[in-house]
Amino acid sequence: MAVIPVLVAAPAANGAVTAQTARPASVPELLAKAAPDECFAGIGQPYPPGPPCKTGKAKVNQSYVWGLAQAGDKVWFGTGANVQCLTLGTSLAQTTPTQNDDYACEYGSSQLAKKTSGLGNLGGLGNMAAALGDWRAPKVYVYQTSSRRLIDKTDDINKASTNDRLRLNTTVGMRAAGTYNGVVLLGGPGLLGINLFAFDSNSGKYLGSTSLQQYGNIRHFVVADGALYAGVGIGPEGQGGGAVLRWAGNKSDPFKFNAVGYLPSQVADLVVHQGRIFVTTWPSAGGNTKATEAGVWMSAPLAKGQPGLTKDDAASWREVWSVSQYEPDPVVAKTYGLGSLASYGGYLYWGTMHVPVQATAAMVKQYPPANDQQGGLAVKNTQRTASIFRAANFDKGRPAVDLLYGASQLPAYDPKANNGAGAWRLASTGYKPKWGSAGFGNPYNNYTWSMVVAGGSLYVGTMDWGYISQYAPAKALPGVRAAFGTPDPKSYGADLWVFDGPQRAARPVNTTGLGNYFNYGVRNMVTDGSSIYLGMANPMNLRTDKGDNVPEGGWELLRLRATTYRR
């Protein structure tokens, strides 16, 4: 266990810092930040010793606060390394090594990839695809709010046993974190199944780890009516559908779960709303059927029968909304993910998520363009921006759904038009946005990544890919610009918006990365009532020079005093 002191306005040894004493009112306090952890000498080159780096350039691989949970005066979080490279490789099959001023993705040219004739074996990781060549083992931290200390708990896992170390070194990243009844659970997808790690939330003692091989992904936990639940994907990458698990463990046996829900798609996020659990889903990887489409699902009442959900409720989940009720193009609809959701003011809120250019890839696979012009139209017409919905009256038949930010029309492809040559047309979504266009008016806001209710308001964090859009594939970039326009540099960085009441439009808290425009996403938010803790996503792994005029890359942990921004 490494205790890292956090000094006012000064960097600690691992890069943990507090914010400057004078900062804009809309910029939260910086509590901790990833530090350089490797030296980089170029694509495919051996990594020089360091940091500090006598040769090469300092590189910061840990890019996301991927799982975040709060217990008492402790904020627990797990990281993900080079997640943008992993996403481009796995979701978009982009595995050509790339390097620019901001980041490097080595893919199959990485030193990890070269360990064996396939891809490397590091700590028992085994052979990997080129898509995962930029993987690094995740880290686990706890930030103590009372003492302002950041404690690295990663070595507690590594030193516990050979199995614990190997399990950590076969984990893609700590994508989920939850806490209940004195236990903190962190975990994410691994080489075989999902890997989970447990700590005592009071003492910080490491309790052990396990692998649940029947599941392929885990993103979030939620506490509901005196129980802890998690949403997972079944099988590799969630291709076998999804499940909701109820934790039945304790400090002595922290890895006991019961399945209390089965769904056709992997679970993305969970929330309690009016006595039920609601979840959003992601489509199964490469899904081609209606069953894999993302949607919003509702559980049985938590108070029915035994307290909370049981095995008897596993088949009682009901879909209450599907993306095809909004997206008019069936191919594009299958690429939607649904993101965070929240219960606020009597409504359930949720939003959409769109991996850049993923819908284009699906469209040209389904309907190969005959020429470059058709290819350009496919890029232009398949781009989507995060839309925000809410609904009420789920117990009264079909819920009343409002589109708060979105579009009344979207492009849809008709393959039968022009005697089978195909054509694009604007089609109705069936909705009229109540308050504005998708992305809160910024077309590059592509993820509804996090929501939290604090201080009587609902906060919504986005991913904004405006800055990194300059690195989109050369063939796709003109079509992206045709769809969205050239992003305004003044809008670079993730957005944080707030609803001050259910009958009021959202207003911006900050739209420029909350103090660092390389922060392209508000990946997670948790609250203790008076403060919001924000876990940021920042993939700029080559931005480590504190002496230049640009910010630095790597994850950040921020704190926002919620009541400060109330109107």
Side-chain angles (χ1 to χ4, degrees):
M1 177 180 74
V3 178
I4 303 148
V6 182
L7 305 177
V8 174
N14 80 326
V17 299
T18 61
Q20 300 296 322
T21 54
R23 64 182 186 275
S26 61
V27 177
E29 179 185 9
L30 176 61
L31 301 179
K33 181 169 180 60
D37 52 11
E38 195 171 86
C39 299
F40 179 74
I43 296 291
Q45 298 301 310
Y47 308 129
C53 304
K54 292 183 179 180
T55 59
K57 179 180 178 61
K59 185 176 178 226
V60 54
N61 291 297
Q62 303 295 331
S63 58
Y64 282 26
V65 173
W66 222 2
L68 182 66
Q70 188 266 335
D73 70 340
K74 299 179 179 67
V75 179
W76 292 81
F77 63 99
T79 68
N82 297 323
V83 180
Q84 175 176 268
C85 300
L86 305 186
T87 300
L88 291 173
T90 57
S91 295
L92 298 178
Q94 295 182 20
T95 56
T96 301
T98 183
Q99 179 182 347
N100 51 60
D101 290 340
D102 296 317
Y103 65 86
C105 295
E106 295 187 89
Y107 299 117
S109 296
S110 72
Q111 294 303 298
L112 178 66
K114 294 178 178 180
K115 291 288 183 178
T116 64
S117 58
L119 270 187
N121 190 307
L122 180 62
L125 187 63
N127 289 335
M128 302 189 312
L132 298 179
D134 294 277
W135 170 89
R136 303 292 187 272
K139 298 181 74 69
V140 173
Y141 295 95
V142 58
Y143 181 84
Q144 293 183 332
T145 60
S146 56
S147 63
R148 300 178 66 85
R149 293 193 307 164
L150 180 70
I151 304 171
D152 188 339
K153 305 291 289 184
T154 313
D155 277 350
D156 293 21
I157 301 172
N158 281 321
K159 294 177 180 179
S161 74
T162 299
N163 284 338
D164 289 285
R165 183 177 68 256
L166 293 180
R167 200 165 274 129
L168 179 67
N169 283 281
T170 58
T171 302
V172 175
M174 298 294 183
R175 201 171 193 177
T179 179
Y180 184 68
N181 201 25
V183 175
V184 175
L185 295 169
L186 300 104
L191 187 64
L192 294 173
I194 59 174
N195 295 334
L196 296 174
F197 305 83
F199 291 84
D200 185 312
S201 63
N202 298 313
S203 69
K205 178 182 177 182
Y206 178 58
L207 301 177
S209 65
T210 194
S211 298
L212 303 180
Q213 296 187 10
Q214 64 269 47
Y215 305 116
N217 213 341
I218 182 169
R219 285 187 175 90
H220 288 283
F221 291 85
V222 69
V223 175
D225 205 22
L228 179 68
Y229 298 86
V232 298
I234 299 173
E237 300 181 11
Q239 293 184 50
V244 177
L245 308 181
R246 177 174 176 168
W247 185 58
N250 52 47
K251 292 182 181 181
S252 300
D253 183 12
F255 303 116
K256 186 177 180 181
F257 293 89
N258 295 318
V260 297
Y262 289 107
L263 302 100
S265 301
Q266 59 181 308
V267 177
D269 206 348
L270 314 86
V271 77
V272 183
H273 175 67
Q274 296 183 340
R276 300 175 186 261
I277 293 178
F278 287 77
V279 306
T280 51
T281 66
W282 269 59
S284 298
N288 293 311
T289 66
K290 176 66 167 62
T292 64
E293 214 170 73
V296 180
W297 291 74
M298 178 179 74
S299 76
L302 295 174
K304 182 179 180 181
Q306 300 181 37
L309 301 179
T310 70
K311 296 178 182 178
D312 293 337
D313 298 307
S316 66
W317 290 74
R318 179 166 65 89
E319 188 177 39
V320 295
W321 189 83
S322 171
V323 298
S324 62
Q325 294 174 354
Y326 172 67
E327 171 57 55
D329 188 286
V331 176
V332 175
K334 291 183 176 65
T335 68
Y336 273 56
L338 292 183
S340 190
L341 68 175
S343 177
Y344 179 65
Y347 294 92
L348 180 73
Y349 288 71
W350 70 90
T352 65
M353 300 177 70
H354 309 275
V355 176
V357 197
Q358 188 177 48
T360 304
M363 182 62 67
V364 299
K365 181 179 180 180
Q366 183 78 18
Y367 302 108
N371 50 52
D372 288 345
Q373 181 182 12
Q374 288 188 8
L377 288 173
V379 177
K380 175 184 176 181
N381 288 293
T382 53
Q383 304 312 304
R384 298 293 185 264
T385 301
S387 299
I388 309 293
F389 297 83
R390 74 178 184 194
N393 302 322
F394 290 97
D395 290 328
K396 299 180 180 179
R398 189 179 181 87
V401 179
D402 298 320
L403 174 64
L404 304 183
Y405 291 88
S408 59
Q409 291 183 313
L410 288 170
Y413 186 69
D414 182 0
K416 297 180 180 180
N418 295 330
N419 295 319
W424 289 92
R425 59 181 175 79
L426 283 175
S428 173
T429 65
Y431 293 90
K432 180 179 180 180
K434 183 177 179 68
W435 282 316
S437 58
F440 298 107
N442 176 1
Y444 286 93
N445 272 329
N446 60 311
Y447 281 9
T448 309
W449 227 349
S450 54
M451 293 186 184
V452 70
V453 176
S457 296
L458 170 61
Y459 291 79
V460 180
T462 76
M463 175 184 170
D464 177 346
W465 74 294
Y467 182 83
I468 64 167
S469 67
Q470 65 184 299
Y471 302 122
K475 288 186 177 181
L477 186 56
V480 171
R481 293 290 189 259
F484 290 160
T486 301
D488 182 354
K490 294 180 180 179
S491 71
Y492 287 159
D495 290 13
L496 182 65
W497 290 72
V498 61
F499 292 91
D500 290 320
Q503 302 309 320
R504 301 179 68 174
R507 60 181 177 84
V509 174
N510 185 283
T511 60
T512 55
L514 299 136
N516 182 342
Y517 63 83
F518 287 155
N519 288 335
Y520 70 6
V522 184
R523 180 61 182 86
N524 282 293
M525 292 191 287
V526 297
T527 181
D528 61 9
S530 61
S531 296
I532 302 171
Y533 297 92
L534 304 95
M536 307 300 289
N538 179 334
M540 309 306 176
N541 57 26
L542 296 183
R543 290 295 191 179
T544 57
D545 185 355
K546 294 185 178 181
D548 60 17
N549 62 351
V550 297
E552 281 70 62
W555 61 258
E556 295 183 355
L557 179 68
L558 309 177
R559 174 165 54 195
L560 175 74
R561 301 290 184 182
T563 55
T564 302
Y565 304 98
R566 291 292 309 278
R567 280 187 177 178

